[in-house]
Every structure is written in structure tokens, then in C-alpha cells.
Amino acid sequence: MVRVRFAPSPTGNLHIGGGRTALFNWLYAQAKGGKFVLRIEDTDQVRSKQEFVDEILFSLKWLGFNWDEVEFQSKRFELYREQAQKLLSSGKAYEEKTDKGTAIIYKVTPQTIKINDLIRGEIVFDSSTIKDQVLIKSDGTPTYNFACVVDDAAMQITHVIRGDDHISNTPKQIMLYQAMGFALPEFAHLPLIMGTEGRLSKRTGATAISDYRKMGYLAPALVNYLLLLSWSPGENREVIDIQEAVKLFDIKDVNKTAAAFDLKKLDWMNNQYLKKEDPEKLADLLIPLLKEKNYIQENNIDRNYLLSLIKLFRERLTRLNDFPDWADFFFLEEIVIDPKAQEKFLSKDLSKEFRLFLQRLEALKEFNLENIEEAFRKLVQELNLETKALIHPIRVALTGKTVGPGLFEVIYYLGLARTKKRLEKFIK
Ligand code: GLU
């Protein structure tokens, strides 16, 4: 049975690169009906933090990558020590005493190491440049390469899928597999992800998965984007449901070349998902954002009204957070008018036009979309005005902005009272 693992170190948040590695492991397990093991590599007791463990688990769940098993390396020190002891006894490793304690070191025998990488094909390593490998540091903790091999063998991992920043570790790990008499897994190294300014860094907060969540990206959109970073379903398709990707995925088709992380493309992808997302679900995601801004109160949520507004904006949203920004005028009593927009569209005195329009609105038998539009069209015709001569100023007066949903929808959902109050401000 296929067994893969994702092995993050909890010394920071889950970042884009880690999310991509987790995705491809999870995807491979799904595609092969295998198991996805999560291994927290918390051997560095100073830099590993519980808050990062929590954040990594939370982000993986948010992305939808549920694991079948979870292990913590910090609970397995006994096992690493035992294995190191065996290598010592067989003469393959030696001890080195320092004032901090005793380290155990593997004696490297020069050899040529070959792997058949599932993505990159044959890779030949010359181990003559590899120095003897520390297995257990003088403080008693295991090194990454050693703990990784002991665990991959103990956890019966069949495929090691990880970023190609680990490629130089692979020959060192293969030597350790051989020294301990363990069967080798298959290896697959995922291509590098480049940022706009060179390499994406684990330590720069902006690349954390949780930051994208907070910025208002939907998990399926981010997953789809991560997928495209290193794989394509073919036929120029870009938007693909993860369950469909599971069916089409073959690790051999993963790109060999570096991928560029492009925020504009991610924005585009997010819009694709926001557009087709169920408004009810969007409402659930937006309510906390609207509460945070004090636009709505817990005990006073008009869900149907909110759903109507969501439908008005949904097509254009790039991030969830656009909604409270763009739709603020539907929630605020006092709107903020963009000074430039005011200067451009409201510096001329439109008292007469606004007054007439208000009179027509008030005279409507029924305050509905169709009647609002008809009243407006008739008025501009009678006044012999161009539509835009009135549409832009009214929009700015009602919303504070120059762009937004259709004006008649804006008037309808604001309602007569608020429309009146806002237009009257510009009637002298
Ligand atoms: N803890 C390592 C990392 O986060 C794991 C590398 C591997 O998958 O072997 O980079």
C-alpha cells in the first residue's frame, strides 16, 4: 500500500511551499488509495513552538488535507538513540566527545548514488564530497537526516515527495537507509517555487497559508492554485475540482521546472471560485468580517438582505474582504465619500435634478427595480440629459464611490428612506 508523509517542522507557520508539498502528498495518497501520514518534525526543542504546531494543523485542515496518522518526532527520541547505538555497535558510526556531550557520527564511505526520481528521472550523486554525518548531536537530539530516515522506514513510507530544496539531503539519507539495512522508498522532488523577488521564503510571513485565509482567499481556490503551480490537468484547463484532479493525477506529469508564484493569478482563481460559490456559504464566511467592522450585530442579522447584497457583488469579488470594503454604504448610516469622486461628479449644483428624481421615486406605486429604472429613464429624457450626466453623480452621492453594482439595484437595496437622506445632502 502507498504510504506518503508530510513532515513539517513547527518552527514557523505553514507556508505556500509547505502547502504545495502537503497537497501533492495528499493527492498522491488519494489517487493511489494510500495513506497520508503527518509527521511533525519537532526535534529542535528551542525553535519548535506549540503555536506553530496548532497553526500547521489548522491550515492543513482548512485546505482539506486530512491525515490518516499523525506522529511527533519529539516523542520518538528513544528510537533514534537505539538505531544510532546499532550503527555504533556495527562500527558504522563513531562517538565524538565535546564539552556539551557525546555526538554520534556516521562514517561515510565514498560511493556513487543513483536514484530514479519519479519527477526528474535519473539523478546521480557523487558522495565523495559528503562529509561524515552527525546522527545524534552532542545535546542528545537527532539530526534531521537521521530522524527522517529512521521514521520513514519505521512508518513504512513508500514514496518521499518533497520540495527539491531537499535534493542534497537525498544521497545522505540513502546512505543511512543502506547502513541500517532498510528498503529504499521512491523519491519525487517537486520543483522550486519562485517569488516575484526571487525565492519564496519560509520566514517571510506573507507567504503563510493562514495569511491567505485572512486576506479572504477561499481554500478550494488556493488549493487549485497550488495544484497549477506544479501540475496541469491538460487541455488548457485551469479551474479544476480537487476530486477530479485526484482522478487525473499522475506524479510523472508534475512539472520539472520552477514555478512562479503569481498573486494576480491567485486573485483570478479566487474570483472564479467566489463567483460560483453558494451565496449561503459566502454569507457564513462574510458575517464574521462584517461583525468585525461593526456593520452588522449578532442579534440583528437580516440574512436574506445579506444574500441579496452578496449576489450583487459576487461576480466581481477578488477576495472575501472586498465585500465589506465595496458594500460598506449598505451598512453604514454615514457614508464616506471619496473626495476625488465628489470633486469630479458632485461639484456642479444638481439640486433641481436630484429633487425631481426624488419626487418621482416617492411617487412610485411600488418601489421595485423596474419602476425605479423607468422613473430614472423618463426623467433624463424629459430633462434632455445624457444618462451618465445623472447616473454618476447619483451613484457617488449614494455610495461614495464611482464603481459598484448597477445604480437601480443600489437604490432598491438602499431603500427609499436612505436614498432620500443621501441625495438631500446635495440639494441646496
Ligand atoms: N522537516 C522537513 C522540512 O520541513 C521535512 C523535509 C522532508 O520532507 O523530508 O523541510
Side-chain angles (χ1 to χ4, degrees):
M1 183 199 271
V2 164
R3 287 176 60 86
V4 293
R5 87 302 193 271
F6 175 57
S9 308
T11 53
N13 292 330
L14 183 69
H15 58 126
I16 285 290
R20 195 266 317 248
T21 302
L23 163 63
F24 281 88
N25 276 285
W26 178 86
L27 193 58
Y28 193 69
Q30 303 303 306
K32 299 284 179 188
K35 294 275 184 244
F36 176 54
V37 178
L38 175 61
R39 184 170 73 225
I40 303 296
E41 301 208 322
D42 52 353
T43 55
D44 184 332
Q45 288 162 320
V46 179
R47 286 174 54 227
S48 297
K49 299 262 174 339
Q50 185 59 40
E51 62 184 275
F52 294 133
V53 174
D54 296 342
E55 194 275 345
I56 291 168
L57 299 190
F58 183 90
S59 288
L60 287 173
K61 279 189 212 149
W62 180 70
L63 290 168
F65 308 150
N66 293 316
W67 49 90
D68 299 298
E69 298 162 26
V70 57
E71 299 282 355
F72 290 79
Q73 286 192 325
S74 58
K75 300 204 178 111
R76 301 166 63 82
F77 280 15
E78 210 38 57
L79 179 65
Y80 311 133
R81 185 151 285 284
E82 245 169 58
Q83 289 297 337
Q85 213 61 48
K86 274 193 197 161
L87 289 171
L88 266 183
S89 316
S90 62
K92 291 177 182 163
Y94 56 91
E95 286 184 314
E96 201 170 80
K97 293 197 190 335
T98 68
D99 41 350
K100 279 186 235 130
T102 307
I104 303 178
I105 298 167
Y106 175 69
K107 207 186 316 158
V108 170
T109 36
Q111 57 190 290
T112 303
I113 291 167
K114 248 193 227 167
I115 63 162
N116 209 347
D117 188 285
L118 294 177
I119 296 167
R120 301 167 51 130
E122 187 176 83
I123 309 175
V124 181
F125 303 95
D126 173 12
S127 75
S128 63
T129 54
I130 299 178
K131 291 192 230 117
D132 285 357
Q133 294 292 305
V134 177
L135 305 176
I136 305 284
K137 297 184 238 178
S138 55
D139 66 2
T141 62
T143 56
Y144 153 68
N145 276 322
F146 184 55
C148 181
V149 171
V150 170
D151 279 347
D152 282 340
M155 295 170 192
Q156 298 174 359
I157 299 303
T158 56
H159 296 73
V160 171
I161 305 170
R162 60 186 169 203
D164 70 2
D165 48 330
H166 282 290
I167 229 163
S168 63
N169 288 318
T170 303
K172 298 173 190 165
Q173 295 186 1
I174 288 174
M175 285 192 291
L176 296 175
Y177 275 100
Q178 288 166 344
M180 291 186 278
F182 297 146
L184 286 180
E186 301 271 6
F187 288 94
H189 291 93
L190 299 164
L192 194 72
I193 303 173
M194 303 291 292
T196 36
E197 285 142 38
R199 205 173 165 144
L200 273 188
S201 146
K202 190 174 184 163
R203 284 173 233 291
T204 51
T207 61
I209 297 289
S210 49
D211 289 333
Y212 291 95
R213 178 174 51 81
K214 288 179 204 141
M215 283 189 271
Y217 293 94
L218 298 178
L222 187 55
V223 168
N224 194 154
Y225 180 74
L226 293 174
L227 187 64
L228 290 192
L229 272 182
S230 312
W231 180 76
S232 151
E235 295 161 13
N236 285 327
R237 282 184 65 193
E238 301 202 285
V239 179
I240 180 168
D241 179 78
I242 191 68
Q243 290 309 330
E244 200 192 340
V246 165
K247 292 195 196 109
L248 298 175
F249 183 72
D250 187 335
I251 194 138
K252 289 180 186 65
D253 300 333
V254 171
N255 302 340
K256 291 176 186 59
T257 49
F261 186 80
D262 178 359
L263 198 59
K264 283 208 190 83
K265 184 79 185 269
L266 175 58
D267 281 346
W268 173 83
M269 185 65 83
N270 208 42
N271 170 259
Q272 301 297 309
Y273 278 79
L274 283 167
K275 268 201 268 204
K276 58 175 194 193
E277 187 56 277
D278 176 10
E280 292 281 359
K281 215 163 154 202
L282 290 180
D284 292 339
L285 294 169
L286 286 169
I287 285 171
L289 301 181
L290 294 167
K291 273 194 207 155
E292 207 175 288
K293 294 219 164 209
N294 242 334
Y295 288 177
I296 54 174
Q297 277 74 40
E298 180 61 57
N299 51 4
N300 194 17
I301 297 172
D302 184 344
R303 197 168 170 101
N304 283 332
Y305 183 63
L306 180 59
L307 288 171
S308 307
L309 298 186
I310 288 171
K311 286 178 201 149
L312 276 190
F313 286 92
R314 191 163 63 133
E315 285 293 311
R316 272 180 266 200
L317 294 179
T318 299
R319 303 172 185 184
L320 281 172
N321 304 41
D322 290 336
F323 183 78
D325 291 344
W326 296 353
D328 60 350
F329 59 88
F330 281 118
F331 300 99
L332 292 168
E333 226 16 80
E334 290 298 326
I335 59 165
V336 191
I337 298 195
D338 169 26
K340 275 202 204 109
Q342 177 156 2
E343 166 69 30
K344 187 159 175 207
F345 295 109
L346 288 168
S347 47
K348 198 173 135 220
D349 183 7
L350 289 163
S351 300
K352 186 185 98 189
E353 291 81 356
F354 280 15
R355 197 179 294 121
L356 282 171
F357 183 48
L358 269 182
Q359 281 169 5
R360 304 283 166 102
L361 287 180
E362 282 174 312
L364 291 180
K365 277 215 188 69
E366 201 193 321
F367 191 77
N368 63 25
L369 267 175
E370 209 176 275
N371 291 346
I372 294 166
E373 172 158 8
E374 197 188 276
F376 177 85
R377 302 239 179 255
K378 263 198 190 147
L379 182 67
V380 286
Q381 210 173 25
E382 283 170 32
L383 295 174
N384 204 10
L385 285 172
E386 267 189 287
T387 312
K388 63 173 194 230
L390 210 47
I391 228 164
H392 294 317
I394 294 177
R395 174 189 298 287
V396 175
L398 294 180
T399 71
K401 308 176 206 306
T402 50
V403 285
L407 180 65
F408 310 121
E409 270 104 345
V410 167
I411 294 171
Y412 177 68
Y413 286 108
L414 275 178
L416 184 57
R418 287 196 286 179
T419 299
K420 188 172 171 192
K421 196 175 149 210
R422 289 181 194 180
L423 286 184
E424 274 175 347
K425 281 211 164 139
F426 296 93
I427 298 179
K428 292 200 179 92

